[in-house]
Amino acid sequence: MSKQNTLKYLNCLMGIAFLGIIVSLFLLKTGIVTSDAIVEVHEIFGGLLILGIIGHLILNWKWVKQTYLRRKKPNQN
């Protein structure tokens, strides 16, 4: 699988995880669901999002290095 296809699936997974976090938090805060199972769902989606972010950074590390970690050239005044 190419890097671009992997990123497409990874971005989709991260979006679903993000929505799962939001929905589960909404259900908890409004009191619609009060069981401990929804807390576990919230934690699982949070873990998936963290793993997705790490994978996204790994796949885009070259861009991160070129954009944020390059040395700045001294001014030639």
Side-chain angles (χ1 to χ4, degrees):
M1 184 179 292
S2 73
K3 179 180 164 182
Q4 292 302 321
N5 282 340
T6 305
L7 280 170
K8 285 180 187 178
Y9 290 117
L10 189 59
N11 289 338
C12 212
L13 172 76
M14 288 171 41
I16 291 168
F18 183 71
L19 289 175
I21 290 169
I22 291 171
V23 169
S24 62
L25 185 62
F26 174 77
L27 292 174
L28 280 169
K29 292 294 182 180
T30 58
I32 295 173
V33 178
T34 57
S35 71
D36 291 334
I38 197 71
V39 174
E40 289 187 35
V41 168
H42 184 77
E43 290 175 354
I44 289 169
F45 278 128
L48 285 175
L49 184 61
I50 290 170
L51 290 175
I53 291 169
I54 291 169
H56 192 81
L57 283 172
I58 290 169
L59 289 171
N60 290 302
W61 188 247
K62 183 178 177 181
W63 177 84
V64 171
K65 280 183 8 183
Q66 290 175 348
T67 305
Y68 295 108
L69 302 177
R70 64 180 172 195
R71 293 182 182 229
K72 295 183 179 182
K73 296 178 183 176
N75 290 335
Q76 300 286 333
N77 290 337

